[in-house]
Amino acid sequence: MKEFKHFINGEYVASASGKTFENRCPVDNSLIGPVHEAGEAEVDAAVRAAKAALKGPWGKLTQAQRTELLNKVADRINERFDEFLEAECLDTGKPRSIASHIDIPRGAANFKAFSETLANHPTEGFRMDTPDGKGALNVGHRTPKGVIAVISPWNLPLLLMTFKVGPALACGNTVVVKPSEETPATTTLLGEVMNECGVPAGVFNVVHGFGPNSAGEFLTTHKDVAAITFTGETRTGEAIMRAASVGLRNISMECGGKNPGLVFADCDIEKAVEGTMRSAFVNCGQVCLGTERVYVERPIFEKFLSRMKEEVAKLKLGRPEDKDANFGPLVSLEHREKVKYYYDLAREEGATVEIGGGIPDMGAELNDGAWIEPTIWTGLSDDARVIREEIFGPCCHIRPFDTEEEVIELANDTDYGLACAIWTENSARAVRVAEQMEVGLAWVNSWFLRDLRTSFGGAKQSGIGREGGVHGLEFYTETKNICIKL
Ligand SMILES: NC(=O)c1ccc[n+]([C@@H]2O[C@H](COP(=O)([O-])OP(=O)(O)OC[C@H]3O[C@@H](n4cnc5c(N)ncnc54)[C@H](O)[C@@H]3O)[C@@H](O)[C@H]2O)c1
Ligand SMILES: O=C/C=C/C=C(\O)C(=O)O
């Protein structure tokens, strides 16, 4: 049986209290092993180690040396690919075919891409005139912000955690990570990699536990944490913002979504079906960028709906190691309860269940797991809760529309603003519509196609700030203007 300890100052440590909680595999609810739950003492030790490391060997490295170390980390993740894959699939139950294409490669890439992008970014410089005619030079100078708290979710555990740890370390900060209580494994394993690559002790720390009155709260309220970067639910983001307000600490928030797909009659329908299938059902619908509202122009509505139903019927539910399986369980039984609640609510709100809508019979070996059927609804009114609230499951509602103006209004009629997917072969329309969408990420004839040099983040209640490429620089560094009188 595995055991998940904290990683503090380069060493794996147990909780002084001896308190642990269970990590279970959602495939069959089997026990993976106990996870140590951090109390204030462990969180404090981790933050102190991180603070001390800022002034230790880490703080003395040049940008080039840091880049080299972080490249090593990326290479070592790839060398230990199978262990990361196994750990991620056990924690989440997701098919290996998905984790081996998305989660683990991006876990490695996040260390390479950001260290290189940031290393090559210029700082600003302005020459100014002065009354004595000699002038002055203004030079922007960036320094690390300090100890960064990284609070990450369970849906893409390694990918989303490294998406923050990569740039934070590239900028010279140190980190304390609190991975989701559902998925402690890959973050814990990364500690070994950091040691193997010679990243100094205290630069990367991990504490396990829950949110309120546990590791999450202790970390976000710790006075020596300089800034907090968070990915998770909008309501959790609000709690973290309140914690960050004490001591005026900076935050970066990547939160929930209720993302629309806009399918125009002039699209390539097979491309649109393939893309919408992925955006609604990959990772069992547990992707913040996923499409839960699909709007289809009326002339192709029936055809699109029937093609989607055909494709959903072909999804193969199965264990991560099953090579044919492309659809795993939800992350936990608790999350299944939430998703099932919305499945029942959809019926109460008058939806037509086109396909799915329940819990599948997976057979004796798997029936204790967190399985749920992929589901399509039609017929809900625009103000139904199922249309307005993030479900974070393998489901979408498909609704016809008649005009471009109408669909833009429908798509934007939400509290969230993370992403959208627009399907049309008319490029002028694509640009026109994309420019009017109230989102941080607009995909045209694609979905979740990621260039790590670009900005990532959400509008409205989907987040605050942008990370990715050079955009994280504002958050992960302190900029000082040095004014030199000539
Ligand atoms: N915008 C994005 O980039 C993005 C990416 C992935 C997931 N998400 C969102 O994440 C959610 C799913 O993930 P989740 O269920 O793990 O989210 P969550 O908000 O429940 O938990 C996220 C993390 O916050 C911690 N936490 C909870 N309460 C806390 C508190 N009071 N103080 C400090 N930490 C606390 C949790 O333990 C966990 O580590 C969805 O809403 C999804 O849309 C957003
Ligand atoms: O579930 C949300 C997915 C987020 C993806 C990223 O943060 C990324 O691709 O960098």
Side-chain angles (χ1 to χ4, degrees):
M1 186 171 303
K2 297 193 166 61
E3 183 183 3
F4 303 92
K5 292 185 176 168
H6 315 294
F7 183 72
I8 299 174
N9 209 22
E11 286 176 12
Y12 286 97
V13 294
S15 286
S17 66
K19 228 168 141 184
T20 60
F21 59 95
E22 288 179 342
N23 182 18
R24 288 190 174 269
C25 175
V27 171
D28 53 8
N29 203 32
S30 57
L31 183 64
I32 303 170
V35 188
H36 287 257
E37 183 180 351
E40 280 176 289
E42 287 77 28
V43 171
D44 186 52
V47 174
R48 276 210 255 168
K51 196 175 173 192
L54 286 167
K55 296 215 158 43
W58 180 246
K60 299 189 175 66
L61 294 182
T62 62
Q63 175 75 49
Q65 288 167 323
R66 275 205 306 266
T67 299
E68 201 183 316
L69 265 185
L70 297 177
N71 279 334
K72 259 198 197 174
V73 171
D75 292 340
R76 192 67 190 139
I77 293 174
N78 282 327
E79 282 161 23
R80 299 185 65 175
F81 194 95
D82 291 346
E83 288 168 80
F84 276 98
L85 185 62
E86 164 94 28
E88 202 75 308
C89 291
L90 254 184
D91 268 3
T92 59
K94 64 178 81 185
R96 281 192 189 192
S97 52
I98 291 172
S100 62
H101 278 97
I102 302 177
D103 302 66
I104 315 304
R106 267 295 304 280
N110 283 340
F111 283 101
K112 279 217 161 111
F114 294 118
S115 53
E116 274 156 24
T117 308
L118 299 182
N120 292 312
H121 188 65
T123 53
E124 75 178 8
F126 287 106
R127 194 180 199 293
M128 70 186 286
D129 293 331
T130 54
D132 66 6
K134 291 185 182 161
L137 283 181
N138 290 283
V139 182
H141 178 68
R142 291 188 186 276
T143 49
K145 198 153 251 171
V147 178
I148 308 285
V150 177
I151 310 276
S152 49
W154 45 256
N155 60 322
L156 301 163
L158 182 71
L159 187 160
L160 291 169
M161 179 266 298
T162 53
F163 184 62
K164 291 164 178 304
V165 172
L169 298 189
C171 290
N173 301 286
T174 58
V175 296
V176 180
V177 183
K178 211 293 285 165
S180 167
E181 53 275 25
E182 305 287 354
T183 53
T186 46
T187 307
T188 309
L189 188 55
L190 190 58
E192 284 183 27
V193 167
M194 293 286 173
N195 280 350
E196 287 166 351
C197 295
V199 174
V203 171
F204 173 80
N205 304 275
V206 181
V207 289
H208 295 295
F210 304 86
N213 199 28
S214 184
E217 185 182 321
F218 302 149
L219 179 58
T220 51
T221 53
H222 197 293
K223 68 173 182 31
D224 288 334
V225 163
I228 305 164
T229 176
F230 168 75
T231 302
E233 284 185 20
T234 298
R235 298 288 88 83
T236 312
E238 290 174 350
I240 290 177
M241 273 184 86
R242 283 193 288 273
S245 73
V246 178
L248 220 64
R249 280 96 43 79
N250 203 2
I251 43 138
S252 170
M253 298 265 143
E254 287 169 0
C255 298
K258 187 74 183 175
N259 311 299
L262 295 78
V263 185
F264 289 93
D266 57 12
C267 73
D268 176 328
I269 194 160
E270 281 310 306
K271 267 198 241 165
V273 168
E274 189 274 334
T276 309
M277 280 299 297
R278 272 191 302 119
S279 73
F281 299 110
V282 80
N283 210 39
C284 204
Q286 303 164 117
V287 182
C288 58
L289 311 160
T291 306
E292 290 189 357
R293 300 179 291 140
V294 185
Y295 300 101
V296 184
E297 202 168 354
R298 203 171 298 273
I300 61 163
F301 178 78
E302 289 302 334
K303 168 103 191 283
F304 183 88
L305 176 61
S306 78
R307 282 290 297 112
M308 286 288 290
K309 283 163 68 174
E310 278 169 25
E311 291 303 313
V312 167
K314 287 191 219 156
L315 287 172
K316 173 99 173 32
L317 282 62
R319 288 180 178 278
E321 57 276 16
D322 179 345
K323 287 208 165 54
D324 301 328
N326 53 9
F327 191 90
L330 291 167
V331 75
S332 65
L333 291 171
E334 192 188 343
H335 187 52
R336 185 175 68 173
E337 243 172 66
K338 174 184 163 188
V339 176
K340 183 63 173 45
Y341 167 82
Y342 280 102
Y343 280 22
D344 296 340
L345 182 63
R347 285 195 179 86
E348 280 167 35
E349 291 188 312
T352 301
V353 181
E354 297 286 346
I355 191 163
I359 291 175
D361 182 359
M362 298 296 293
E365 273 186 25
L366 300 183
N367 268 347
D368 288 340
W371 301 90
I372 193 122
E373 286 176 345
T375 295
I376 294 178
W377 301 291
T378 55
L380 283 169
S381 71
D382 297 322
D383 59 2
R385 282 182 58 202
V386 167
I387 298 296
R388 311 207 74 87
E389 298 172 17
E390 181 186 50
I391 300 170
F392 220 56
C395 50
C396 64
H397 178 260
I398 310 187
R399 177 209 195 280
F401 71 87
D402 293 298
T403 67
E404 192 177 299
E405 294 69 34
E406 180 195 10
V407 74
I408 290 170
E409 196 166 320
L410 285 168
N412 281 336
D413 181 18
T414 167
D415 292 337
Y416 293 106
L418 187 54
C420 70
I422 301 163
W423 301 91
T424 172
E425 292 296 303
N426 176 339
S427 51
R429 184 206 294 275
V431 174
R432 191 166 64 230
V433 175
E435 287 181 350
Q436 292 176 78
M437 293 305 300
E438 297 164 359
V439 294
L441 300 138
W443 275 289
V444 175
N445 295 329
S446 61
W447 176 77
F448 205 174
L449 189 56
R450 292 279 288 115
D451 180 328
L452 297 185
R453 295 170 297 187
T454 62
S455 66
F456 186 94
K460 300 182 341 195
Q461 290 190 26
S462 288
I464 298 182
R466 294 290 181 272
E467 298 203 30
V470 297
H471 303 277
L473 266 177
E474 286 304 320
F475 176 74
Y476 289 111
T477 62
E478 207 60 73
T479 307
K480 172 164 38 200
N481 183 58
I482 301 179
C483 179
I484 308 157
K485 175 76 178 66
L486 300 175

CSV table of all heavy atoms in Angstrom, one decimal, residues 49 56 60 90 108 147 182 186 214 224 233 268 291 311 328 359 406 433 439 444 460:
chain,number,residue,atom,x,y,z
A,49,ALA,N,10.6,26.7,5.3
A,49,ALA,CA,11.6,26.2,4.4
A,49,ALA,C,11.7,26.9,3.1
A,49,ALA,O,12.8,27.2,2.6
A,49,ALA,CB,11.3,24.7,4.2
A,56,GLY,N,18.9,31.1,0.1
A,56,GLY,CA,19.9,30.1,0.0
A,56,GLY,C,20.5,29.9,-1.4
A,56,GLY,O,20.4,30.9,-2.2
A,60,LYS,N,20.7,32.4,-5.3
A,60,LYS,CA,22.0,32.9,-5.9
A,60,LYS,C,22.2,32.4,-7.4
A,60,LYS,O,23.1,32.8,-8.0
A,60,LYS,CB,23.2,32.4,-5.0
A,60,LYS,CG,23.1,32.9,-3.6
A,60,LYS,CD,24.3,32.6,-2.8
A,60,LYS,CE,24.2,33.3,-1.4
A,60,LYS,NZ,23.1,32.8,-0.6
A,90,LEU,N,-4.3,6.0,-11.2
A,90,LEU,CA,-4.9,5.5,-10.0
A,90,LEU,C,-5.7,6.5,-9.3
A,90,LEU,O,-6.8,6.2,-8.8
A,90,LEU,CB,-3.7,5.0,-9.1
A,90,LEU,CG,-3.4,3.6,-8.9
A,90,LEU,CD1,-2.3,3.4,-7.9
A,90,LEU,CD2,-4.6,2.7,-8.6
A,108,ALA,N,5.5,17.8,-18.0
A,108,ALA,CA,7.0,18.1,-18.3
A,108,ALA,C,7.1,19.4,-19.1
A,108,ALA,O,7.9,20.2,-18.7
A,108,ALA,CB,7.5,16.9,-19.1
A,147,VAL,N,7.5,33.5,-1.4
A,147,VAL,CA,6.9,32.2,-1.3
A,147,VAL,C,5.6,32.2,-1.9
A,147,VAL,O,4.7,33.0,-1.5
A,147,VAL,CB,6.8,31.8,0.2
A,147,VAL,CG1,6.1,30.4,0.3
A,147,VAL,CG2,8.1,31.8,0.9
A,182,GLU,N,-8.1,14.8,-3.3
A,182,GLU,CA,-8.5,13.7,-4.1
A,182,GLU,C,-7.3,13.1,-4.9
A,182,GLU,O,-7.3,11.9,-5.3
A,182,GLU,CB,-9.5,14.1,-5.2
A,182,GLU,CG,-10.8,14.7,-4.6
A,182,GLU,CD,-11.7,13.7,-3.9
A,182,GLU,OE1,-11.4,12.5,-3.9
A,182,GLU,OE2,-12.7,14.2,-3.3
A,186,THR,N,0.8,12.5,-7.9
A,186,THR,CA,1.8,13.0,-8.8
A,186,THR,C,2.6,14.2,-8.2
A,186,THR,O,3.8,14.3,-8.4
A,186,THR,CB,1.3,13.4,-10.2
A,186,THR,OG1,0.1,14.1,-10.0
A,186,THR,CG2,0.9,12.1,-11.0
A,214,SER,N,-8.0,23.3,7.4
A,214,SER,CA,-7.0,22.2,7.1
A,214,SER,C,-5.9,22.9,6.3
A,214,SER,O,-5.7,24.2,6.3
A,214,SER,CB,-7.7,21.1,6.3
A,214,SER,OG,-6.8,20.1,6.0
A,224,ASP,N,3.6,34.6,5.8
A,224,ASP,CA,4.8,34.6,5.0
A,224,ASP,C,4.6,34.2,3.6
A,224,ASP,O,5.6,34.0,2.8
A,224,ASP,CB,6.0,33.8,5.7
A,224,ASP,CG,6.5,34.5,6.9
A,224,ASP,OD1,6.4,35.8,6.9
A,224,ASP,OD2,7.0,33.9,7.8
A,233,GLU,N,-12.9,25.8,-7.9
A,233,GLU,CA,-14.2,26.3,-8.1
A,233,GLU,C,-14.3,27.8,-7.7
A,233,GLU,O,-13.5,28.3,-6.8
A,233,GLU,CB,-15.1,25.6,-7.1
A,233,GLU,CG,-15.5,24.2,-7.6
A,233,GLU,CD,-16.5,23.6,-6.8
A,233,GLU,OE1,-17.2,24.3,-6.0
A,233,GLU,OE2,-16.7,22.3,-6.9
A,268,ASP,N,-17.9,22.5,-40.9
A,268,ASP,CA,-17.7,21.1,-41.3
A,268,ASP,C,-18.3,20.3,-40.2
A,268,ASP,O,-17.7,20.2,-39.1
A,268,ASP,CB,-16.2,20.9,-41.4
A,268,ASP,CG,-15.8,19.5,-41.8
A,268,ASP,OD1,-16.5,18.6,-41.4
A,268,ASP,OD2,-14.8,19.3,-42.5
A,291,THR,N,-17.3,21.9,-22.7
A,291,THR,CA,-18.6,22.5,-23.2
A,291,THR,C,-19.8,21.9,-22.6
A,291,THR,O,-20.0,20.7,-22.8
A,291,THR,CB,-18.6,22.3,-24.8
A,291,THR,OG1,-17.4,22.8,-25.3
A,291,THR,CG2,-19.8,23.0,-25.4
A,311,GLU,N,-22.2,9.1,-31.6
A,311,GLU,CA,-20.8,9.0,-31.1
A,311,GLU,C,-20.8,8.8,-29.6
A,311,GLU,O,-19.9,8.0,-29.1
A,311,GLU,CB,-20.1,10.4,-31.4
A,311,GLU,CG,-19.8,10.6,-32.8
A,311,GLU,CD,-18.9,9.5,-33.4
A,311,GLU,OE1,-17.9,9.1,-32.8
A,311,GLU,OE2,-19.3,9.0,-34.5
A,328,GLY,N,-13.5,7.2,-18.5
A,328,GLY,CA,-13.3,6.6,-17.2
A,328,GLY,C,-14.4,7.1,-16.2
A,328,GLY,O,-15.4,7.7,-16.6
A,359,ILE,N,-26.7,6.0,-13.9
A,359,ILE,CA,-25.5,5.4,-13.5
A,359,ILE,C,-25.4,4.0,-14.2
A,359,ILE,O,-26.4,3.2,-14.2
A,359,ILE,CB,-25.5,5.2,-12.0
A,359,ILE,CG1,-25.3,6.6,-11.3
A,359,ILE,CG2,-24.4,4.2,-11.5
A,359,ILE,CD1,-25.5,6.6,-9.8
A,406,GLU,N,-28.4,36.2,-32.1
A,406,GLU,CA,-29.1,35.4,-31.0
A,406,GLU,C,-28.1,34.5,-30.3
A,406,GLU,O,-28.0,34.5,-29.0
A,406,GLU,CB,-30.2,34.6,-31.6
A,406,GLU,CG,-31.0,33.8,-30.6
A,406,GLU,CD,-31.8,32.7,-31.2
A,406,GLU,OE1,-31.7,32.4,-32.5
A,406,GLU,OE2,-32.6,32.0,-30.5
A,433,VAL,N,-17.4,36.7,-34.4
A,433,VAL,CA,-18.1,36.1,-33.2
A,433,VAL,C,-17.1,36.0,-32.1
A,433,VAL,O,-17.4,36.4,-30.9
A,433,VAL,CB,-18.7,34.7,-33.6
A,433,VAL,CG1,-19.2,34.1,-32.3
A,433,VAL,CG2,-19.8,34.9,-34.6
A,439,VAL,N,-15.1,35.9,-23.0
A,439,VAL,CA,-14.3,34.8,-22.5
A,439,VAL,C,-12.8,35.1,-22.6
A,439,VAL,O,-12.4,36.0,-23.3
A,439,VAL,CB,-14.5,33.5,-23.3
A,439,VAL,CG1,-16.0,33.0,-23.2
A,439,VAL,CG2,-14.2,33.7,-24.8
A,444,VAL,N,-11.6,28.4,-32.4
A,444,VAL,CA,-12.3,28.4,-33.7
A,444,VAL,C,-11.9,27.0,-34.3
A,444,VAL,O,-10.7,26.8,-34.5
A,444,VAL,CB,-12.0,29.5,-34.6
A,444,VAL,CG1,-12.6,29.4,-35.9
A,444,VAL,CG2,-12.4,30.9,-33.9
A,460,LYS,N,-15.1,37.4,-16.3
A,460,LYS,CA,-16.2,37.3,-15.3
A,460,LYS,C,-15.9,36.4,-14.1
A,460,LYS,O,-14.8,36.5,-13.6
A,460,LYS,CB,-17.5,36.9,-16.1
A,460,LYS,CG,-17.8,37.9,-17.2
A,460,LYS,CD,-19.0,37.8,-18.1
A,460,LYS,CE,-19.8,36.8,-18.4
A,460,LYS,NZ,-20.7,36.8,-19.5
